[in-house]
Amino acid sequence: MARNKDPQGTPGPPTTVVLFGATGDLARRKLLPGMFHLLRSGLLPHVQIVGTSLDEHTRESFIEFTRASLDEFAGDVTEAEWADYSSRLFWAKPGIGNLHAAIEEAEAGCTEPQQRLHYLSVPPKAAMSVIHDLKAAGLVDRSRVIMEKPFGTDLASARQLNAAVHEVFDEEQVFRIDHFLGKEAALNILAFRFANGLFEPIWNRTMIDHIQIDVPEELGLEQRASFYESTGAYRDMVVTHLFQVLAFTAMEPPTELNPQAITEEKNKVFRSMLPIEPKDVVRGQYAGYRDEPGVAPDSETETFIALKCYVDNWRWAGVPFYLRTGKRLAAGQRIISVAFKEPPKSMFPAGSGIGQNGPDHLTFDLADRSKVSLSFYGKRPGPGFRLEKVSMQFSMEETSWSGSVLEAYERLILEAVKGNHTLFTTAQGVERLWEVSAPLLENPTPVRMYEPGSWGPNQIHQLIAPHAWRLPFERRWRD
Ligand code: BG6
């Protein structure tokens, strides 16, 4: 695979994006506004978009749908920008002939040949039939395909899906999306760790006590009951987003900033992970979930999960990684918190405040307004020797670059257009994560009820003892 020669982020080549599931929630919230932003910022100057879905639409009504999505999610749009974007939107009714005709119409005025990017924003069950349609329609050459997670539901189904996809597309053409890998803040973990001399020497089992990757959500099901019932929090969030973030946090320094080197190091982390043991997992379900429309009255689907796992290699042996995520929790946060070991001896007497607020921590906030904070003990001014936890914080919002942040899907669409696999998952990596998950999937622990608005079932405290969950923060982030 080619070396990444594009550190400045150059524009992508002429591309026709064929968007399957074009009137779904993801398209409305992220993909249609995202491609608009890429066009407006000059990163995707020659894009044409062919939408298609099972919903009844015409080109006109798809354009109206897109306008409404931009009004809601794209901020201010000028008349000229809208005129340009809307002229690039086309619609294909279901059926191979219609798809061909719409692509032809979209590309009619293009001066250079367009490559095609098929974005499968469809439920996992529908993905294979779209792949077969693409083959039947002869839309495989000059094409790439973006597939949404979760990729399979266990090892056997992931293998089957990978094999079936590979019958049609080469691995080089496949981009399995995990939008957490496109988040600016997730990429900043790599910069933080590997562009500085300060942190890497302490990034290991000698200095680090444990790591928390905590992604509670306030959101509930948001009309996704049928997807969520068959997915649950583990498949929706852990085997995908949280493990990918874990890999960025735990991996060895890659030899180069290129897809192969980074994938190699991530896959080594996945290979070193110990299987997830049911005894190290708390599954939860919020009270009232079973009354939601579309949810079975005896559903055992977890809307919450917290677990302890290990990366059993020289750097991390014995260091627990605690992961937590769930719906309808007390707050929406996305943090990685690295807890350092306490000093071996303390000259500070009991009552001085030492250790009172947990160990010193480094915290990454993976929210779009990304932040990093180092919390440590300092002396409270005045007589005596009282210690207080204080912090140094960096916030991207306070820099002059805050307007240049690319939304995760925007970045990933752009990278796929350019054929750069660095931020995508591989067949091998995905399969290994299902393998690690097998003991839990085969013997899931019973779901425990929790109150909406809480931090999950009580058992989460036993899971992490003698440590404590970093959230809720004892102090708010500085505004
Ligand atoms: C999606 C999950 O992949 O990620 C959702 O399917 C979840 O259930 C979402 O809410 C969280 O993403 P973000 O970027 O809003 O943190």
Side-chain angles (χ1 to χ4, degrees):
M1 278 181 230
R3 187 178 176 145
N4 183 359
K5 296 203 182 79
D6 184 26
Q8 310 300 341
T10 52
T15 303
T16 302
V17 177
V18 184
L19 183 53
F20 293 85
T23 45
D25 193 49
L26 182 66
R28 189 176 71 86
R29 283 187 303 116
K30 301 286 185 185
L31 308 179
L32 293 166
M35 288 189 281
F36 168 73
H37 187 224
L38 288 172
L39 174 70
R40 170 161 71 180
S41 45
L43 290 168
L44 217 48
H46 308 291
V47 68
Q48 303 293 107
I49 299 166
V50 175
T52 182
S53 77
L54 297 178
D55 294 341
E56 273 292 316
H57 272 285
T58 58
R59 182 174 180 203
E60 288 65 39
S61 66
F62 176 52
I63 290 177
E64 268 169 44
F65 176 91
T66 307
R67 176 75 227 199
S69 122
L70 262 51
D71 287 344
E72 201 174 344
F73 299 104
D76 291 338
V77 179
T78 66
E79 277 311 305
E81 286 167 345
W82 171 243
D84 185 18
Y85 192 52
S86 56
S87 72
R88 296 162 185 273
L89 299 170
F90 298 83
W91 183 254
K93 289 197 158 70
I96 290 173
N98 294 328
L99 192 57
H100 262 297
I103 293 177
E104 219 166 276
E105 190 189 353
E107 294 179 353
C110 299
T111 47
E112 289 176 62
Q114 303 273 115
Q115 64 166 356
R116 277 125 193 195
L117 179 69
H118 306 300
Y119 196 124
L120 274 50
S121 177
V122 296
K125 283 180 272 195
M128 259 337 286
S129 87
V130 176
I131 297 260
H132 287 137
D133 284 354
L134 290 172
K135 185 177 177 190
L139 291 170
V140 173
D141 293 344
R142 276 205 280 145
S143 292
R144 304 203 169 104
V145 59
I146 295 189
M147 301 190 69
E148 271 293 335
K149 51 112 254 201
F151 205 81
T153 50
D154 58 14
L155 180 58
S157 60
R159 279 192 178 143
Q160 216 174 7
L161 185 56
N162 277 325
V165 170
H166 288 154
E167 277 173 23
V168 179
F169 287 97
D170 293 336
E171 179 68 11
E172 282 289 286
Q173 294 174 284
V174 182
F175 292 77
R176 293 175 197 77
I177 212 160
D178 186 309
H179 78 277
F180 268 51
L181 291 180
K183 286 182 188 281
E184 203 71 63
L187 297 176
N188 215 12
I189 302 171
L190 300 185
F192 188 87
R193 289 190 56 199
F194 303 129
N196 300 294
L198 177 58
F199 305 105
E200 236 359 69
I202 56 169
W203 212 254
N204 56 48
R205 62 194 298 275
T206 318
M207 301 295 181
I208 291 177
D209 183 73
H210 71 273
I211 293 184
Q212 300 183 22
I213 300 178
D214 205 356
V215 186
E217 296 187 279
E218 276 179 299
L219 290 180
L221 286 191
E222 313 287 307
Q223 281 96 46
R224 295 162 80 216
S226 89
F227 164 80
Y228 204 81
E229 263 287 87
S230 58
T231 309
Y234 186 79
R235 291 182 170 95
D236 184 33
M237 295 290 289
V238 178
V239 84
T240 52
H241 307 323
L242 272 62
F243 282 163
Q244 294 295 331
V245 170
L246 182 150
F248 272 6
T249 312
M251 73 189 195
E252 296 301 315
T255 49
E256 289 187 76
L257 185 61
N258 80 10
Q260 201 174 7
I262 291 187
T263 302
E264 212 166 72
E265 296 307 335
K266 279 173 54 194
N267 284 351
K268 272 157 69 179
V269 171
F270 298 149
R271 285 205 298 277
S272 305
M273 282 176 74
L274 296 179
I276 309 296
E277 296 298 336
K279 68 172 176 40
D280 292 333
V281 178
V282 177
R283 292 171 71 236
Q285 190 184 75
Y286 64 80
Y289 173 74
R290 291 176 186 177
D291 304 328
E292 302 266 13
V295 171
D298 56 353
S299 170
E300 284 288 311
T301 299
E302 80 282 349
T303 60
F304 171 96
I305 188 142
L307 61 86
K308 174 164 72 169
C309 64
Y310 291 95
V311 177
D312 197 26
N313 61 14
W314 277 52
R315 191 188 279 261
W316 297 113
V319 177
F321 286 74
Y322 297 100
L323 276 47
R324 170 170 69 171
T325 185
K327 301 284 184 198
R328 303 284 310 268
L329 295 177
Q333 293 268 359
R334 305 174 196 114
I335 66 151
I336 306 173
S337 178
V338 177
F340 293 101
K341 290 204 166 151
E342 292 187 10
K345 290 267 174 211
S346 174
M347 66 179 191
F348 301 104
S352 61
I354 181 85
Q356 202 162 293
N357 288 309
D360 37 330
H361 283 95
L362 184 62
T363 305
F364 295 86
D365 185 343
L366 301 184
D368 295 334
R369 302 166 161 214
S370 75
K371 300 189 194 93
V372 183
S373 121
L374 181 63
S375 316
F376 55 94
Y377 286 89
K379 181 187 173 304
R380 188 151 93 189
F385 221 111
R386 283 281 306 156
L387 298 166
E388 283 288 344
K389 199 103 176 260
V390 291
S391 72
M392 295 195 286
Q393 292 187 11
F394 161 77
S395 165
M396 194 58 85
E397 283 283 291
E398 291 168 5
T399 68
S400 56
W401 314 302
S402 55
S404 339
V405 170
L406 272 191
E407 205 277 329
Y409 281 96
E410 291 168 17
R411 178 192 319 284
L412 294 174
I413 291 171
L414 183 61
E415 293 301 315
V417 162
K418 293 184 191 174
N420 181 2
H421 275 91
T422 312
L423 302 178
F424 295 86
T425 59
T426 59
Q428 202 192 7
V430 167
E431 288 179 16
R432 171 62 188 160
L433 290 176
W434 285 121
E435 192 177 13
V436 164
S437 308
L440 173 66
L441 298 179
E442 282 158 17
N443 280 306
T445 43
V447 287
R448 320 263 182 188
M449 290 299 148
Y450 63 94
E451 284 308 313
S454 71
W455 289 94
N458 285 335
Q459 287 77 3
I460 55 168
H461 302 297
Q462 278 142 264
L463 178 76
I464 204 169
H467 317 295
W469 291 98
R470 186 79 202 289
L471 291 174
F473 288 130
E474 67 273 18
R475 286 177 313 271
R476 293 165 61 89
W477 289 100
R478 194 178 63 207
D479 275 333

PDB file of all heavy atoms in Angstrom, residues 90-111:
ATOM      1  N   PHE A  90     -28.905  13.449  -7.665  1.00  0.00           N
ATOM      2  CA  PHE A  90     -29.729  12.656  -8.597  1.00  0.00           C
ATOM      3  C   PHE A  90     -30.400  11.546  -7.811  1.00  0.00           C
ATOM      4  O   PHE A  90     -29.981  11.231  -6.698  1.00  0.00           O
ATOM      5  CB  PHE A  90     -28.854  12.085  -9.729  1.00  0.00           C
ATOM      6  CG  PHE A  90     -28.223  13.182 -10.544  1.00  0.00           C
ATOM      7  CD1 PHE A  90     -27.047  13.793 -10.114  1.00  0.00           C
ATOM      8  CD2 PHE A  90     -28.836  13.641 -11.701  1.00  0.00           C
ATOM      9  CE1 PHE A  90     -26.491  14.839 -10.836  1.00  0.00           C
ATOM     10  CE2 PHE A  90     -28.279  14.683 -12.425  1.00  0.00           C
ATOM     11  CZ  PHE A  90     -27.106  15.278 -11.999  1.00  0.00           C
ATOM     12  N   TRP A  91     -31.415  10.963  -8.410  1.00  0.00           N
ATOM     13  CA  TRP A  91     -32.149   9.908  -7.692  1.00  0.00           C
ATOM     14  C   TRP A  91     -32.312   8.679  -8.568  1.00  0.00           C
ATOM     15  O   TRP A  91     -32.619   8.797  -9.769  1.00  0.00           O
ATOM     16  CB  TRP A  91     -33.531  10.427  -7.272  1.00  0.00           C
ATOM     17  CG  TRP A  91     -34.286   9.406  -6.462  1.00  0.00           C
ATOM     18  CD1 TRP A  91     -35.339   8.653  -6.864  1.00  0.00           C
ATOM     19  CD2 TRP A  91     -34.011   9.032  -5.110  1.00  0.00           C
ATOM     20  NE1 TRP A  91     -35.740   7.819  -5.850  1.00  0.00           N
ATOM     21  CE2 TRP A  91     -34.935   8.029  -4.751  1.00  0.00           C
ATOM     22  CE3 TRP A  91     -33.057   9.425  -4.153  1.00  0.00           C
ATOM     23  CZ2 TRP A  91     -34.952   7.433  -3.492  1.00  0.00           C
ATOM     24  CZ3 TRP A  91     -33.079   8.829  -2.897  1.00  0.00           C
ATOM     25  CH2 TRP A  91     -34.017   7.857  -2.583  1.00  0.00           C
ATOM     26  N   ALA A  92     -32.102   7.513  -7.983  1.00  0.00           N
ATOM     27  CA  ALA A  92     -32.357   6.260  -8.705  1.00  0.00           C
ATOM     28  C   ALA A  92     -33.446   5.489  -7.973  1.00  0.00           C
ATOM     29  O   ALA A  92     -33.286   5.163  -6.791  1.00  0.00           O
ATOM     30  CB  ALA A  92     -31.085   5.421  -8.766  1.00  0.00           C
ATOM     31  N   LYS A  93     -34.538   5.205  -8.663  1.00  0.00           N
ATOM     32  CA  LYS A  93     -35.564   4.323  -8.079  1.00  0.00           C
ATOM     33  C   LYS A  93     -34.964   2.919  -8.014  1.00  0.00           C
ATOM     34  O   LYS A  93     -34.021   2.618  -8.743  1.00  0.00           O
ATOM     35  CB  LYS A  93     -36.805   4.322  -8.974  1.00  0.00           C
ATOM     36  CG  LYS A  93     -37.573   5.623  -8.941  1.00  0.00           C
ATOM     37  CD  LYS A  93     -38.980   5.383  -9.507  1.00  0.00           C
ATOM     38  CE  LYS A  93     -39.963   6.413  -9.055  1.00  0.00           C
ATOM     39  NZ  LYS A  93     -39.887   7.732  -9.525  1.00  0.00           N
ATOM     40  N   PRO A  94     -35.482   2.031  -7.129  1.00  0.00           N
ATOM     41  CA  PRO A  94     -34.903   0.690  -7.038  1.00  0.00           C
ATOM     42  C   PRO A  94     -34.863   0.000  -8.399  1.00  0.00           C
ATOM     43  O   PRO A  94     -35.714   0.260  -9.262  1.00  0.00           O
ATOM     44  CB  PRO A  94     -35.854  -0.041  -6.090  1.00  0.00           C
ATOM     45  CG  PRO A  94     -36.532   1.033  -5.314  1.00  0.00           C
ATOM     46  CD  PRO A  94     -36.598   2.224  -6.204  1.00  0.00           C
ATOM     47  N   GLY A  95     -33.860  -0.862  -8.580  1.00  0.00           N
ATOM     48  CA  GLY A  95     -33.733  -1.597  -9.847  1.00  0.00           C
ATOM     49  C   GLY A  95     -32.441  -1.216 -10.549  1.00  0.00           C
ATOM     50  O   GLY A  95     -32.062  -0.039 -10.568  1.00  0.00           O
ATOM     51  N   ILE A  96     -31.813  -2.240 -11.119  1.00  0.00           N
ATOM     52  CA  ILE A  96     -30.490  -2.050 -11.713  1.00  0.00           C
ATOM     53  C   ILE A  96     -30.531  -1.059 -12.884  1.00  0.00           C
ATOM     54  O   ILE A  96     -29.665  -0.184 -13.003  1.00  0.00           O
ATOM     55  CB  ILE A  96     -29.935  -3.422 -12.151  1.00  0.00           C
ATOM     56  CG1 ILE A  96     -29.606  -4.228 -10.884  1.00  0.00           C
ATOM     57  CG2 ILE A  96     -28.700  -3.294 -13.029  1.00  0.00           C
ATOM     58  CD1 ILE A  96     -29.221  -5.647 -11.124  1.00  0.00           C
ATOM     59  N   GLY A  97     -31.584  -1.181 -13.720  1.00  0.00           N
ATOM     60  CA  GLY A  97     -31.696  -0.285 -14.877  1.00  0.00           C
ATOM     61  C   GLY A  97     -31.784   1.170 -14.419  1.00  0.00           C
ATOM     62  O   GLY A  97     -31.129   2.060 -14.974  1.00  0.00           O
ATOM     63  N   ASN A  98     -32.587   1.417 -13.397  1.00  0.00           N
ATOM     64  CA  ASN A  98     -32.742   2.786 -12.891  1.00  0.00           C
ATOM     65  C   ASN A  98     -31.425   3.337 -12.348  1.00  0.00           C
ATOM     66  O   ASN A  98     -31.113   4.518 -12.500  1.00  0.00           O
ATOM     67  CB  ASN A  98     -33.787   2.826 -11.767  1.00  0.00           C
ATOM     68  CG  ASN A  98     -35.169   2.489 -12.288  1.00  0.00           C
ATOM     69  OD1 ASN A  98     -35.479   2.793 -13.435  1.00  0.00           O
ATOM     70  ND2 ASN A  98     -35.981   1.846 -11.463  1.00  0.00           N
ATOM     71  N   LEU A  99     -30.671   2.454 -11.692  1.00  0.00           N
ATOM     72  CA  LEU A  99     -29.393   2.881 -11.124  1.00  0.00           C
ATOM     73  C   LEU A  99     -28.453   3.312 -12.243  1.00  0.00           C
ATOM     74  O   LEU A  99     -27.818   4.382 -12.181  1.00  0.00           O
ATOM     75  CB  LEU A  99     -28.794   1.703 -10.326  1.00  0.00           C
ATOM     76  CG  LEU A  99     -27.612   2.004  -9.421  1.00  0.00           C
ATOM     77  CD1 LEU A  99     -27.971   3.098  -8.414  1.00  0.00           C
ATOM     78  CD2 LEU A  99     -27.194   0.746  -8.661  1.00  0.00           C
ATOM     79  N   HIS A 100     -28.377   2.477 -13.263  1.00  0.00           N
ATOM     80  CA  HIS A 100     -27.534   2.807 -14.414  1.00  0.00           C
ATOM     81  C   HIS A 100     -27.913   4.152 -15.021  1.00  0.00           C
ATOM     82  O   HIS A 100     -27.073   5.000 -15.272  1.00  0.00           O
ATOM     83  CB  HIS A 100     -27.694   1.743 -15.503  1.00  0.00           C
ATOM     84  CG  HIS A 100     -26.597   0.739 -15.469  1.00  0.00           C
ATOM     85  ND1 HIS A 100     -25.293   1.095 -15.689  1.00  0.00           N
ATOM     86  CD2 HIS A 100     -26.605  -0.591 -15.238  1.00  0.00           C
ATOM     87  CE1 HIS A 100     -24.546   0.011 -15.588  1.00  0.00           C
ATOM     88  NE2 HIS A 100     -25.302  -1.023 -15.309  1.00  0.00           N
ATOM     89  N   ALA A 101     -29.237   4.310 -15.229  1.00  0.00           N
ATOM     90  CA  ALA A 101     -29.706   5.530 -15.881  1.00  0.00           C
ATOM     91  C   ALA A 101     -29.341   6.750 -15.039  1.00  0.00           C
ATOM     92  O   ALA A 101     -28.889   7.782 -15.565  1.00  0.00           O
ATOM     93  CB  ALA A 101     -31.217   5.443 -16.091  1.00  0.00           C
ATOM     94  N   ALA A 102     -29.515   6.640 -13.709  1.00  0.00           N
ATOM     95  CA  ALA A 102     -29.252   7.802 -12.846  1.00  0.00           C
ATOM     96  C   ALA A 102     -27.749   8.133 -12.833  1.00  0.00           C
ATOM     97  O   ALA A 102     -27.369   9.304 -12.849  1.00  0.00           O
ATOM     98  CB  ALA A 102     -29.745   7.518 -11.433  1.00  0.00           C
ATOM     99  N   ILE A 103     -26.920   7.095 -12.822  1.00  0.00           N
ATOM    100  CA  ILE A 103     -25.469   7.355 -12.826  1.00  0.00           C
ATOM    101  C   ILE A 103     -25.070   8.021 -14.137  1.00  0.00           C
ATOM    102  O   ILE A 103     -24.288   8.984 -14.164  1.00  0.00           O
ATOM    103  CB  ILE A 103     -24.667   6.044 -12.596  1.00  0.00           C
ATOM    104  CG1 ILE A 103     -24.917   5.522 -11.174  1.00  0.00           C
ATOM    105  CG2 ILE A 103     -23.169   6.264 -12.809  1.00  0.00           C
ATOM    106  CD1 ILE A 103     -24.250   4.204 -10.840  1.00  0.00           C
ATOM    107  N   GLU A 104     -25.647   7.528 -15.212  1.00  0.00           N
ATOM    108  CA  GLU A 104     -25.347   8.119 -16.524  1.00  0.00           C
ATOM    109  C   GLU A 104     -25.753   9.592 -16.564  1.00  0.00           C
ATOM    110  O   GLU A 104     -24.996  10.459 -16.993  1.00  0.00           O
ATOM    111  CB  GLU A 104     -26.137   7.360 -17.585  1.00  0.00           C
ATOM    112  CG  GLU A 104     -25.367   7.143 -18.874  1.00  0.00           C
ATOM    113  CD  GLU A 104     -26.095   6.103 -19.707  1.00  0.00           C
ATOM    114  OE1 GLU A 104     -25.885   4.880 -19.476  1.00  0.00           O
ATOM    115  OE2 GLU A 104     -26.894   6.519 -20.550  1.00  0.00           O
ATOM    116  N   GLU A 105     -26.949   9.853 -16.050  1.00  0.00           N
ATOM    117  CA  GLU A 105     -27.443  11.232 -16.014  1.00  0.00           C
ATOM    118  C   GLU A 105     -26.498  12.104 -15.164  1.00  0.00           C
ATOM    119  O   GLU A 105     -26.128  13.214 -15.559  1.00  0.00           O
ATOM    120  CB  GLU A 105     -28.848  11.234 -15.403  1.00  0.00           C
ATOM    121  CG  GLU A 105     -29.573  12.554 -15.514  1.00  0.00           C
ATOM    122  CD  GLU A 105     -30.876  12.561 -14.689  1.00  0.00           C
ATOM    123  OE1 GLU A 105     -31.277  11.505 -14.155  1.00  0.00           O
ATOM    124  OE2 GLU A 105     -31.460  13.654 -14.577  1.00  0.00           O
ATOM    125  N   ALA A 106     -26.093  11.570 -14.008  1.00  0.00           N
ATOM    126  CA  ALA A 106     -25.227  12.343 -13.104  1.00  0.00           C
ATOM    127  C   ALA A 106     -23.888  12.658 -13.751  1.00  0.00           C
ATOM    128  O   ALA A 106     -23.309  13.722 -13.529  1.00  0.00           O
ATOM    129  CB  ALA A 106     -25.014  11.559 -11.808  1.00  0.00           C
ATOM    130  N   GLU A 107     -23.390  11.713 -14.552  1.00  0.00           N
ATOM    131  CA  GLU A 107     -22.036  11.883 -15.087  1.00  0.00           C
ATOM    132  C   GLU A 107     -22.040  12.525 -16.480  1.00  0.00           C
ATOM    133  O   GLU A 107     -20.960  12.765 -17.048  1.00  0.00           O
ATOM    134  CB  GLU A 107     -21.323  10.523 -15.123  1.00  0.00           C
ATOM    135  CG  GLU A 107     -21.088   9.983 -13.706  1.00  0.00           C
ATOM    136  CD  GLU A 107     -20.406   8.609 -13.661  1.00  0.00           C
ATOM    137  OE1 GLU A 107     -20.225   8.009 -14.746  1.00  0.00           O
ATOM    138  OE2 GLU A 107     -20.068   8.159 -12.563  1.00  0.00           O
ATOM    139  N   ALA A 108     -23.239  12.820 -16.990  1.00  0.00           N
ATOM    140  CA  ALA A 108     -23.338  13.310 -18.372  1.00  0.00           C
ATOM    141  C   ALA A 108     -22.495  14.555 -18.618  1.00  0.00           C
ATOM    142  O   ALA A 108     -21.809  14.671 -19.624  1.00  0.00           O
ATOM    143  CB  ALA A 108     -24.794  13.570 -18.729  1.00  0.00           C
ATOM    144  N   GLY A 109     -22.514  15.487 -17.693  1.00  0.00           N
ATOM    145  CA  GLY A 109     -21.799  16.743 -17.929  1.00  0.00           C
ATOM    146  C   GLY A 109     -20.357  16.719 -17.449  1.00  0.00           C
ATOM    147  O   GLY A 109     -19.686  17.760 -17.480  1.00  0.00           O
ATOM    148  N   CYS A 110     -19.865  15.569 -16.972  1.00  0.00           N
ATOM    149  CA  CYS A 110     -18.519  15.552 -16.375  1.00  0.00           C
ATOM    150  C   CYS A 110     -17.466  15.487 -17.475  1.00  0.00           C
ATOM    151  O   CYS A 110     -17.605  14.710 -18.422  1.00  0.00           O
ATOM    152  CB  CYS A 110     -18.350  14.356 -15.445  1.00  0.00           C
ATOM    153  SG  CYS A 110     -19.513  14.401 -14.079  1.00  0.00           S
ATOM    154  N   THR A 111     -16.414  16.276 -17.298  1.00  0.00           N
ATOM    155  CA  THR A 111     -15.394  16.325 -18.343  1.00  0.00           C
ATOM    156  C   THR A 111     -14.369  15.206 -18.173  1.00  0.00           C
ATOM    157  O   THR A 111     -13.756  14.766 -19.133  1.00  0.00           O
ATOM    158  CB  THR A 111     -14.678  17.688 -18.327  1.00  0.00           C
ATOM    159  OG1 THR A 111     -14.352  17.972 -16.969  1.00  0.00           O
ATOM    160  CG2 THR A 111     -15.563  18.774 -18.896  1.00  0.00           C
TER     161      THR A 111
END
